Amino acid sequence: MSASPDDVRRLERVWSWRYVDPAAFADGLAIVPHSPERLVLEAFLAWREQRLDEALTMVSQILETPHLAWGWRSRARGVQGVVLVELGLVEEGVAAHREQCRLAEEEDDTVGLARGLTNLGNAFEFASPDQSRHFYLEAIELARTFREEHTPSASTESMAMEALAISNLHDVQLRHGIRLAPEIPGLATAEELARKGWPELGHHIRAVRVRTRLELGDTEGALELARDLPDPASMRDVTNAISVVRTRAVISGVQGHPEEGCALIDAVLHRVSLPFQIELLDDLVGLRESAGDLRGALEASRRLSDAILTCHASQARTAVLALEVWHRTRAAEELARQANKRADGLRAAMADLRRNHEQVREMTTRDVLTGLHNRLHLWEVGEQMTATPPDEPAAQVALADLDGFKAVNDSRGHATGDAVLRQFAAALRAAARPEDLCARYGGDEFVVVRPAGVGGSLADDLESLTRLGAVRDGDPVRASIGVTTVQDSDFQHGLDRADQLMYLAKQRGGAQVAREPGT
């Protein structure tokens, strides 16, 4: 049940706190009544804490709700999109963000649209840096336009969105060498905006500025900026807090105290989720090496490899539909490559596991000789394919058996027999419709299932298979085929009846189709 108008007003206040005051956001979340809109807040928090499977589960529940208060469906789509992108499902994430933007435009939600465009910029950053830049620039323009028309107190989120878009633009420039126009503000301006609209993002941007100075060789400037970095234990947003932890740890190493950086990382490792552990462990390896602690570096490297494997498996389960998911973020992909360089043996083992998995999957669903689906797969999906909705054409099942196949095997050898089976399988695929399931049932028997609702005459489509061309100058390939409809969604009975009709075709001389009415 959707929230009442009074509850929606409370929820809007809590939503507005998520960036500017994460502590107040968490406290407010605890006292607002349960509703689909409240679940959006919970999903947002789960995403920020990298509980991605929980976030996706919540969003799916939210989007099933037919009626949501103004703005909340767009927000739910935004959470869905960022989670999908972090799981590596970029195409699906982009679709969610486009829907987020459409809903925001429909509701005349300028800040929501800027938020969606920023999300799209992040999703496109690797596939199309130029497109990513375009989205960020558009988000910046929308955020500025909103502030010109509203009071400062109503503009905190627009400041946060502009700060995030500016920061991400500079990230695009750094990673891809994209030139930015002179009028694009620098990271110092982004940090100032973030201090007003998303203070903890401001801390992250400060951390980025510190690391940038270090990469440019300006150690003194980096140390000066680092003085204002907060204690990460005081931060509520885990993502930004980890950025500060990593930067402070690097600074400890630069100052000649890598052991302090190691202690800082060790203090938070057990409190954060796997994706963050991967980032921290990668830094820990470097700090241990710089401290001369090779044993500690080796142990950290082993933990990093274990974390990557565990994270991979966990996210693959979350991603669904057999998509092998590894990427948590664009940085995680780079970390995976670095980890593989440190552990070539582990990379080879993972590759073997992936190959074995694909081989096992192929063996369980495909016939090796013909490439058709096998008997096991046929039984797995047969009942579902032949379930007939009311007023829809019934499913049809055909069973084909090659005439005289044993004699071909005995007289011409198994190589010729295999060629006959492959030729018939290829002809079967060509004769069937795209919706049909073609399977090798065993030996020289083949099954075709036409799903309920497709219609058309399966018997007519297979008629040409009764007499095919010769194989290796031999006699023509001949087949007897029985075709029936599936009544009452009983796949087993339909298959048995098709088998009986196939034998009837053989009794009539073979090389023909025996059919029941409706096929």
Side-chain angles (χ1 to χ4, degrees):
M1 183 176 178
S2 295
S4 68
D6 286 342
D7 287 338
V8 168
R9 284 191 286 272
R10 296 188 190 97
L11 287 161
E12 287 289 347
R13 285 199 297 273
V14 175
W15 176 259
S16 69
W17 295 336
R18 71 195 188 286
Y19 292 136
V20 71
D21 191 347
F25 172 76
D27 293 340
L29 179 60
I31 62 174
V32 292
H34 181 76
S35 67
E37 292 83 2
R38 181 186 187 274
L39 202 57
V40 177
L41 302 176
E42 295 183 43
F44 173 86
L45 185 61
W47 162 56
R48 296 302 295 177
E49 294 179 353
Q50 287 297 291
R51 293 180 284 116
L52 303 184
D53 52 345
E54 294 180 38
L56 278 179
T57 300
M58 293 176 194
V59 168
S60 67
Q61 295 176 25
I62 296 161
L63 295 177
E64 290 174 0
T65 304
H67 302 293
L68 289 172
W70 179 93
W72 290 93
R73 190 170 298 277
S74 172
R75 294 162 184 171
R77 284 292 187 189
V79 175
Q80 181 188 46
V82 292
V83 171
L84 289 170
V85 170
E86 291 198 13
L87 285 169
L89 307 179
V90 177
E91 182 177 348
E92 292 84 352
V94 166
H97 288 317
R98 290 195 186 281
E99 178 67 6
Q100 175 190 10
C101 291
R102 187 193 67 78
L103 290 167
E105 281 189 296
E106 191 176 273
E107 296 169 332
D108 198 24
D109 182 1
T110 303
V111 176
L113 180 56
R115 184 166 56 245
L117 290 168
T118 301
N119 290 336
L120 279 171
N122 181 64
F124 275 92
E125 184 168 325
F126 278 86
S128 178
D130 280 326
Q131 186 71 21
S132 176
R133 175 178 59 178
H134 168 76
F135 285 129
Y136 289 141
L137 290 173
E138 195 172 347
I140 291 171
E141 183 62 28
L142 282 171
R144 290 176 177 174
T145 300
F146 182 87
R147 284 205 304 283
E148 291 171 359
E149 301 171 353
H150 295 78
T151 63
S153 61
S155 302
T156 54
E157 185 166 350
S158 68
M159 294 180 188
M161 288 302 101
E162 182 176 353
L164 181 60
I166 293 171
S167 175
N168 289 351
L169 263 177
H170 284 273
D171 191 36
V172 171
Q173 179 189 39
L174 179 64
R175 290 178 179 273
H176 304 286
I178 299 289
R179 292 178 62 85
L180 299 181
E183 63 269 20
I184 299 300
L187 288 175
T189 300
E191 181 181 349
E192 183 179 353
L193 284 166
R195 297 287 185 191
K196 301 172 184 176
W198 189 355
E200 294 197 357
L201 174 65
H203 301 327
H204 160 71
I205 295 174
R206 172 59 65 96
V208 171
R209 293 177 64 198
V210 170
R211 293 197 293 270
T212 301
R213 290 286 182 92
L214 287 175
E215 290 169 2
L216 294 174
D218 182 9
T219 302
E220 184 177 346
L223 293 175
E224 179 66 26
L225 285 174
R227 289 196 181 96
D228 290 333
L229 286 175
D231 179 359
S234 67
M235 299 173 64
R236 297 295 295 265
D237 187 292
V238 179
T239 301
N240 291 319
I242 293 300
S243 177
V244 173
V245 169
R246 297 180 69 194
T247 301
R248 291 187 59 175
V250 170
I251 287 294
S252 296
V254 169
Q255 292 177 317
H257 306 294
E259 67 283 352
E260 294 180 8
C262 294
L264 185 63
I265 291 174
D266 282 330
V268 299
L269 260 177
H270 68 285
R271 300 203 303 266
V272 298
S273 60
L274 273 172
F276 292 129
Q277 288 182 32
I278 291 171
E279 295 177 352
L280 293 169
L281 284 167
D282 186 67
D283 291 343
L284 187 60
V285 171
L287 286 169
R288 295 289 189 199
E289 289 175 347
S290 65
D293 181 8
L294 298 183
R295 184 186 297 274
L298 183 62
E299 171 62 19
S301 181
R302 183 192 62 78
R303 292 169 64 189
L304 173 60
S305 298
D306 290 345
I308 289 174
L309 278 174
T310 304
C311 186
H312 182 193
S314 174
Q315 292 184 344
R317 288 191 298 270
T318 303
V320 303
L321 296 178
L323 290 172
E324 289 195 6
V325 177
W326 161 228
H327 313 290
R328 181 191 75 82
T329 61
R330 54 188 181 273
E333 186 177 16
E334 178 61 25
L335 289 176
R337 285 196 292 267
Q338 294 174 5
N340 283 334
K341 290 179 182 178
R342 295 190 183 99
D344 287 338
L346 175 61
R347 180 167 55 185
M350 290 177 66
D352 287 342
L353 283 173
R354 283 194 296 269
R355 284 194 295 271
N356 290 339
H357 170 74
E358 289 300 319
Q359 290 170 359
V360 170
R361 187 183 65 81
E362 193 69 15
M363 289 171 62
T364 59
T365 64
R366 292 280 179 183
D367 174 59
V368 176
L369 177 63
T370 64
L372 300 180
H373 287 293
N374 60 19
R375 185 185 187 120
L376 176 62
H377 184 71
L378 175 68
W379 282 108
E380 286 178 346
V381 301
E383 289 287 351
Q384 180 182 352
M385 291 183 67
T386 54
T388 305
D391 303 322
E392 293 283 351
Q396 301 171 60
V397 176
L399 193 149
D401 185 277
L402 302 188
D403 297 332
F405 179 73
K406 184 177 185 302
V408 173
N409 258 345
D410 292 344
S411 63
R412 299 182 182 276
H414 289 286
T416 300
D418 288 349
V420 168
L421 294 174
R422 283 193 293 267
Q423 180 186 2
F424 187 81
L428 190 63
R429 277 194 296 265
R433 298 190 183 185
E435 302 92 342
D436 296 342
L437 171 69
C438 300
R440 183 182 178 194
Y441 196 54
D444 60 339
E445 290 186 328
F446 298 82
V447 171
V448 181
V449 180
R450 177 158 295 174
V454 174
S457 173
L458 180 58
D460 287 349
D461 291 343
L462 302 184
E463 182 71 41
S464 63
L465 301 180
T466 58
R467 295 177 184 271
L468 298 179
V471 176
R472 295 187 183 178
D473 300 323
D475 296 329
V477 178
R478 295 154 53 92
S480 297
I481 305 173
V483 186
T484 185
T485 56
V486 177
Q487 303 298 326
D488 301 322
S489 302
D490 190 340
F491 175 62
Q492 174 67 69
H493 181 268
L495 192 59
D496 291 343
R497 181 57 183 153
D499 186 52
Q500 293 167 5
L501 289 167
M502 180 271 293
Y503 277 109
L504 178 61
K506 284 188 178 294
Q507 291 169 9
R508 293 172 175 172
Q512 60 184 277
V513 176
R515 66 172 76 189
E516 283 190 331
T519 61

